[in-house]
Amino acid sequence: MTSSLNLSGRVAVVTGASRGIGYFLAKELAAAGAHVVAVARTIGGLEELDDEIKAEKAISGKGEATLVPLDLADGAGVDRLGGAIHERWGKLDILVANAGVLGVISPLGHVEAKVFEKVMAVNVTATWRLIRSVDPLLRLSDAGRAIVLSSGAAHSAKAFWGPYAASKAAVEAMVRSWADETKNLPLRINAVNPGATRTAMRAQAVPGEDPQILPHPSEIARKIAPLASPALTETGLIFDAPSERFLRYRLPE
Ligand code: NDP
């Protein structure tokens, strides 16, 4: 699918690009020709990504990365990121808000306050702050695209998944409001449920599981990357990666 995706000349921010789904989404977008602004705290992971993008460029001539080591809980840092992108490119074409934390799998009554607050700070507050920082830049693109990672947990809300499920439900509510605010603009904004994927977060959530039964994050990234296409028409929906379908919300009565 991605082979037909052409993102030449387009600038993309990908958060959580040091490993897991974000790492492979950054690679996919770069392979399609985008300049990827790769954000995470782990410099080693970002450098590995940069090496892979450079190696791919040597073959295909496509893709570039700028590395931004940043803790997304640093709100002022997130604000500065938007300013720096404006100064360098004067616009942003693609936002992939992928960074997230699980917190802990535990009965709600046993969750430590600092763990709950961290989940909300990274998954919800930092996502909002990032949206606030780049919304004006996405509006300056001829086809701004936002891809915001959610989870099936937002809807299944299973026992012991409370803090994470609540954070992802909040993320989806923000996506819907933001999409509604911008529905008459060229901007297209969607949430994504990647489904269970072979990453560090999944291993933390379900430690007894054999990771080999899960799809590799590169496979999931290939399904999600087309949401960055200027040709995309959908907005305000959830893209369900396992079924490769958009799920529609029930409209209010
Ligand atoms: P990983 O734990 O493998 O990767 C998480 C990424 O987020 C890392 O790059 C990490 O970088 C970054 N990150 C975490 N906290 C911060 C922070 N404070 N500042 C900057 N970056 C941060 O997770 P996955 O790849 O599995 O998950 C990606 C997204 O997909 C998440 O939003 C997750 O909720 C969602 N998801 C995943 C599923 C799965 O089965 N894997 C299922 C459903 C949803 P670093 O530590 O270097 O800062």
Side-chain angles (χ1 to χ4, degrees):
M1 241 202 294
T2 314
S3 52
S4 61
L5 186 63
N6 181 1
L7 300 177
S8 295
R10 308 198 82 77
V11 182
V13 166
V14 180
T15 69
S18 60
R19 64 171 184 269
I21 297 167
Y23 183 97
F24 289 96
L25 268 169
K27 272 188 68 176
E28 281 292 317
L29 300 185
H35 189 124
V36 175
V37 178
V39 184
R41 293 165 304 177
T42 309
I43 294 169
L46 292 177
E47 286 177 344
E48 202 178 303
L49 173 71
D50 192 35
D51 287 348
E52 287 210 53
I53 289 176
K54 283 195 174 114
E56 173 69 28
K57 188 178 184 183
I59 300 164
S60 68
K62 290 201 283 188
E64 230 167 326
T66 294
L67 308 185
V68 181
L70 175 70
D71 184 340
L72 289 160
D74 168 8
V78 173
D79 294 348
R80 282 196 300 275
L81 175 63
I85 293 168
H86 186 253
E87 224 165 87
R88 181 156 172 197
W89 290 287
K91 61 150 190 182
L92 178 67
D93 301 296
I94 301 156
L95 168 67
V96 181
N98 160 83
V101 292
L102 177 73
V104 67
I105 300 293
S106 163
L108 269 174
H110 296 188
V111 177
E112 281 181 57
K114 68 171 194 293
V115 172
F116 187 87
E117 281 158 13
K118 173 89 186 285
V119 172
M120 292 300 152
V122 175
N123 294 4
V124 184
T125 309
T127 300
W128 158 73
R129 191 108 180 199
L130 186 62
I131 289 170
R132 191 178 75 152
S133 182
V134 304
D135 167 84
L137 302 174
L138 285 167
R139 288 170 190 253
L140 291 170
S141 169
D142 59 345
R145 301 286 174 262
I147 300 168
V148 183
L149 272 285
S150 182
S151 165
H155 304 270
S156 60
K158 280 193 262 182
F160 316 131
W161 285 70
Y164 180 76
S167 75
K168 292 300 189 180
V171 161
E172 287 193 8
M174 281 197 291
V175 164
R176 294 168 70 192
S177 287
W178 190 26
D180 200 37
E181 289 165 18
T182 55
K183 65 180 177 222
N184 297 323
L185 303 176
L187 255 166
R188 306 285 95 183
I189 293 162
N190 293 289
V192 170
N193 168 32
T197 308
R198 197 190 312 162
T199 68
M201 183 189 287
R202 178 69 188 185
Q204 185 197 346
V206 191
E209 186 176 55
D210 174 7
Q212 297 309 318
I213 65 166
L214 300 172
H216 191 269
S218 59
E219 193 185 315
I220 299 305
R222 265 196 303 278
K223 293 181 178 183
I224 298 172
L227 298 184
S229 168
L232 185 85
T233 54
E234 288 85 354
T235 198
L237 304 177
I238 307 174
F239 178 73
D240 182 60
S243 62
E244 292 183 72
R245 287 179 48 214
F246 284 96
L247 308 179
R248 282 167 202 282
Y249 289 97
R250 199 152 58 89
L251 293 171
E253 313 269 308

